[in-house]
Amino acid sequence: MIQSLKHTDPQIFSLIKAEAKRQKNVLEMIASENYTSHAVMEALGSVLTNKYSEGFPGKRYYQGNSIADEVEMLAQERAKHLFGVPYVNVQPLSGAPANSAVYFAVLKNGEKMMGLSLAMGGHITHGHKLGLSGRLFTSVHYELGKDALLDYDAIEKQVMQEKPQLLICGYTAYPREIDFKRFGEIADKAGCYLMADVSHITGLIVAGVHPSPVPYAHIVTTTTHKTLRGPRGAMILVTEKGLQKDPELPKKLETAIIPGLQGGPHDNQTAAIAVSLKEAATASFKKYGKQIVANAQALAAELQKQGFELVSGGTDNHLILLDLRNKKVNGRVAAIALEAAGIVLNYNGVPGDEMPPLFASGIRLGTPAITTRGLKEKDMKKIAEWYRLAVKEVEGMDLPSDDKVKRSTLFKEYKAAMLKNKKLPAIAKEVKAFCKKFPIE
Ligand code: DSN
């Protein structure tokens, strides 16, 4: 007899139930999160989790892989078709291993990579000194220019001086369109590889609301669980341009995955990625992608009306970065207050931030998950008003950048004050009632 989770492990069962309830009752506005379909979760929770498939289709190290081969090939074909590329690797377990695999494939130890600095909206795996990439390779970073925008002329100048072997574009907290064509020209001029890490905006690229890097980059990496709305996972795409530069790239990437970085792929995850790629190829996905941006832009305008300062003055994509220094509120304090008000997001550094990352001055928010729930532009006014009301409750709760002890004492005081605050849970109640109108699948 099949023993259900409820009977086998009631503790985990009830924690999952509690998390489902939490996800239902709040506005999930973490820019990198989403709600997958039931079909994606069904594939993820399937018997494919039982299998070892080290290697690649047709060349596995274990027997019994004929079905796993079909699953993986289906995922590869769907991705190739969706993005218009000749090679796709669907095995990276997540974004960080995907990027590491690229570095192992195209760089020798000590060679140079160049991406946007973490403090300006880049990613830790783009050469940050505390990550593997920054420890194994030489890493230099470019910064944002005036108005927190990419300054392509400055980047070109720096690339020509530094001569990296790998140039990286694609970000985690950049609300503006990326000019991949210009990046491609810069990489060509320097004779280096261009990798576009489009994890955040893949769904927008598929929907045609952000230009694709495929004609201009050699390699594209992406996670599958953000705007693409699949399971946790990642893919590495090699473009025609990449194959022309090095026909051995697919082989090098496969060797980088195994034996380089990983063991057996997670076949259940691969199947779930395949499901999400099928969903992403539909007309309704395109509509959803367009709506993400429409919602973000409507929300940006409403937040501005409420006196919030938006880094770069607005958004072209799914995310908004608010600089809270004008409100005299620390970003982390605001994020806690907003969670108490039923709005979930993350605190984030802003360009030129004098605060350490754990007490960053801004908050990052995004519209992918609320768009999946069915919210439209007209709903953004209400959301912006909740932001204003929640942040008002903590206005003045800023923290010093230069006094660690005082910062820690004040932070504890602020948290205690927020626990006693009655208005924040009152907003959360309104948010919960509002969320009921937008059921999750
Ligand atoms: N954690 C992801 C994000 O939130 O952007 C990046 O790895």
Side-chain angles (χ1 to χ4, degrees):
M1 199 183 96
I2 294 172
Q3 286 289 321
S4 67
L5 180 63
K6 191 175 176 176
H7 291 104
T8 311
D9 193 337
Q11 279 171 296
I12 286 293
F13 178 81
S14 67
L15 285 172
I16 292 173
K17 283 271 167 232
E19 173 61 8
K21 199 166 152 197
R22 187 197 69 78
Q23 290 185 13
K24 215 168 79 181
N25 291 337
V26 297
L27 289 168
E28 286 289 358
M29 298 193 72
I30 291 178
S32 49
E33 289 187 2
N34 217 324
Y35 298 103
T36 64
S37 67
H38 184 77
V40 164
M41 283 193 271
E42 201 176 324
L44 204 57
S46 70
V47 292
L48 289 163
T49 197
N50 297 334
K51 191 71 199 106
Y52 247 124
S53 310
E54 277 163 312
F56 290 90
K59 39 187 178 181
R60 307 282 188 187
Y61 293 91
Y62 292 77
Q63 296 310 113
N65 269 307
S66 56
I67 292 159
D69 278 4
E70 281 192 55
V71 169
E72 188 166 340
M73 286 189 295
L74 201 50
Q76 289 170 342
E77 288 311 311
R78 286 179 183 171
K80 283 200 255 180
H81 188 251
L82 195 62
F83 295 98
V85 293
Y87 173 82
V88 177
N89 192 311
V90 293
Q91 289 198 11
L93 301 177
S94 209
N99 289 347
S100 300
V102 173
Y103 307 151
F104 280 132
V106 304
L107 299 176
K108 295 189 191 76
N109 280 14
E111 282 191 333
K112 196 183 277 184
M113 66 170 69
M114 184 168 156
L116 181 66
S117 72
L118 184 65
M120 290 273 179
H123 193 252
I124 204 151
T125 61
H126 297 176
H128 190 273
K129 63 178 189 305
L130 296 179
L132 199 68
S133 56
R135 292 180 64 168
L136 293 182
F137 306 100
T138 306
S139 167
V140 284
H141 289 106
Y142 52 91
E143 308 289 328
L144 294 178
K146 205 168 145 286
D147 299 327
L149 297 173
L150 288 164
D151 179 344
Y152 295 94
D153 291 337
I155 294 168
E156 178 170 341
K157 201 168 153 209
Q158 197 184 350
V159 168
M160 295 317 290
Q161 275 163 4
E162 294 285 350
K163 291 273 181 201
Q165 278 75 34
L166 175 67
L167 175 62
I168 303 167
C169 58
Y171 315 105
T172 61
Y174 187 65
R176 294 302 188 175
E177 192 172 293
I178 303 166
D179 187 347
F180 292 121
K181 184 167 183 286
R182 183 75 197 273
F183 266 110
E185 288 161 3
I186 296 171
D188 292 345
K189 191 171 169 191
C192 66
Y193 279 104
L194 177 64
M195 176 183 112
D197 177 349
V198 296
S199 295
H200 263 260
I201 55 171
T202 319
L204 308 185
I205 292 167
V206 170
V209 283
H210 192 291
S212 168
V214 166
Y216 313 110
H218 302 98
I219 301 168
V220 179
T221 59
T222 178
T223 47
T224 46
H225 47 271
K226 298 186 173 92
T227 46
L228 190 62
R229 213 162 53 180
R232 284 184 179 273
M235 302 187 289
I236 306 171
L237 324 180
V238 176
T239 64
E240 291 290 355
K241 186 176 169 182
L243 273 190
Q244 272 165 26
K245 188 168 172 67
D246 182 1
E248 296 290 301
L249 261 182
K251 198 163 167 278
K252 288 180 183 168
L253 285 164
E254 288 183 359
T255 310
I257 291 284
I258 175 169
L261 276 163
Q262 299 183 176
H266 296 176
D267 295 328
N268 55 324
Q269 184 183 37
T270 307
I273 289 174
V275 174
S276 64
L277 291 167
K278 185 170 181 190
E279 291 174 354
T282 59
S284 69
F285 187 91
K286 281 204 167 62
K287 216 169 138 196
Y288 141 82
K290 286 194 180 86
Q291 190 64 49
I292 291 177
V293 178
N295 283 348
Q297 290 180 336
L299 181 58
E302 292 296 337
L303 287 167
Q304 261 166 338
K305 280 189 214 158
Q306 300 288 7
F308 286 101
E309 201 177 309
L310 277 63
V311 172
S312 87
T315 183
D316 300 325
N317 57 26
H318 63 301
L319 74 83
I320 294 167
L321 193 55
L322 293 183
D323 185 339
L324 293 173
R325 287 177 291 192
N326 70 331
K327 299 269 185 193
K328 302 264 174 285
V329 182
N330 175 260
R332 185 163 171 192
V333 173
I336 295 170
L338 281 156
E339 185 178 1
I343 298 173
V344 181
L345 42 69
N346 64 285
Y347 55 96
N348 210 98
V350 292
D353 209 333
E354 61 285 352
M355 294 296 289
L358 265 180
F359 296 96
S361 297
I363 49 177
R364 185 189 69 162
L365 50 126
T367 52
I370 58 169
T371 303
T372 295
R373 284 189 92 148
L375 274 74
K376 296 273 161 44
E377 290 97 314
K378 64 176 172 28
D379 303 308
M380 300 304 130
K381 196 178 166 73
K382 193 174 221 140
I383 294 180
E385 172 69 0
W386 282 323
Y387 272 78
R388 183 184 70 80
L389 291 171
V391 172
K392 200 172 113 211
E393 291 304 304
V394 286
E395 213 160 302
M397 291 192 190
D398 54 0
L399 294 167
S401 61
D402 52 355
D403 187 337
K404 227 174 156 176
V405 178
K406 191 167 171 207
R407 191 163 66 219
S408 164
T409 313
L410 274 175
F411 183 59
K412 275 186 205 136
E413 278 175 22
Y414 295 163
K415 277 212 294 192
M418 281 189 276
L419 275 179
K420 286 197 203 126
N421 184 297
K422 297 270 182 312
K423 288 201 181 137
L424 295 171
I427 301 171
K429 222 168 146 187
E430 283 180 34
V431 168
K432 186 175 163 185
F434 173 80
C435 285
K436 271 210 169 76
K437 291 194 271 176
F438 302 94
I440 308 163
E441 191 182 304

